[in-house]
Amino acid sequence: MLSLSLVVLLLVWNFTCRANDGSSDVPMFSSNERNKIKELVLETLLENPEILIEVGRVLQQKQEKQRQDAVRSAIKQNKHLLFKDKNSPVIGNPEGDVTIVEFFDYNCSFCKQATESLKKLLASDNDIRLVLRELPILNEASVFASKAALASARQDKYEDFHWLLM
């Protein structure tokens, strides 16, 4: 019943707004009818405030979809930088058919928690290419650890050093 009320409410509101925008030579509703509709809409909202919760939920879903679309677009536009940056160390199969990009900080507890899962995943599938993106944002120790890890890459010791720090 709530969804039906919401649909009717939105349809009436849409028609009312369209009638007010001047896009038609003949108004859909008279001024009195528009005022009555607005009163009914307000009355409906006051009697059924849960409609506003439903509207808020729908708005959040729409905004989340827009955010996800923006993220997908950014990933597509920056695909080469994300997946093939020569300055980002790769663990696993460098030619793997599945690429995971991990942004991490050596002092991030959440990053550390993900370490065992990533190791197990890499061990279970030889076609995974793990691109590690150093993101030392937490403190100066993070910057120092990142520099040390990247320096270890020049000695072909990055993977061992990385797992030790994590």
Side-chain angles (χ1 to χ4, degrees):
M1 187 65 184
L2 176 62
S3 295
L4 180 59
S5 297
L6 182 61
V7 169
V8 170
L9 177 69
L10 293 174
L11 286 174
V12 168
W13 190 260
N14 185 34
F15 286 129
T16 303
C17 291
R18 208 179 312 151
N20 284 331
D21 72 2
S23 62
S24 172
D25 294 337
V26 179
M28 187 171 288
F29 297 108
S30 70
S31 179
N32 287 339
E33 289 171 327
R34 284 194 301 274
N35 288 336
K36 183 61 178 170
I37 290 169
K38 288 178 183 179
E39 286 176 28
L40 291 171
V41 167
L42 179 59
E43 183 181 314
T44 301
L45 289 173
L46 292 174
E47 288 176 2
N48 303 289
E50 59 274 6
I51 291 173
L52 295 174
I53 295 170
E54 178 71 11
V55 168
R57 187 186 62 73
V58 169
L59 176 61
Q60 283 180 331
Q61 287 176 338
K62 183 177 181 180
Q63 289 173 331
E64 179 60 20
K65 183 182 180 324
Q66 289 171 339
R67 188 193 67 76
Q68 289 177 0
D69 290 347
V71 167
R72 282 187 190 97
S73 176
I75 289 171
K76 269 186 178 176
Q77 291 173 6
N78 296 292
K79 186 177 180 177
H80 186 73
L81 291 172
L82 286 169
F83 300 133
K84 300 290 184 179
D85 179 21
K86 64 181 178 168
N87 296 314
S88 296
V90 174
I91 293 178
N93 182 350
E95 304 300 320
D97 59 358
V98 173
T99 299
I100 298 171
V101 179
E102 180 187 23
F103 290 83
F104 70 95
D105 185 312
Y106 284 112
N107 289 304
C108 170
S109 60
F110 298 106
C111 300
K112 289 180 182 286
Q113 285 178 342
T115 298
E116 285 308 311
S117 297
L118 282 171
K119 284 174 127 177
K120 287 178 185 174
L121 188 61
L122 288 169
S124 71
D125 187 337
N126 292 329
D127 285 326
I128 294 178
R129 181 176 175 271
L130 176 61
V131 178
L132 296 165
R133 304 296 302 245
E134 307 267 342
L135 191 63
I137 60 172
L138 294 177
N139 53 41
E140 284 301 314
S142 298
V143 174
F144 183 80
S146 178
K147 287 179 179 179
L150 292 173
S152 74
R154 293 183 181 154
Q155 302 164 25
D156 293 324
K157 301 287 185 189
Y158 182 87
E159 183 173 355
D160 293 335
F161 194 82
H162 173 77
W163 294 132
L164 286 171
L165 287 180
M166 294 307 281

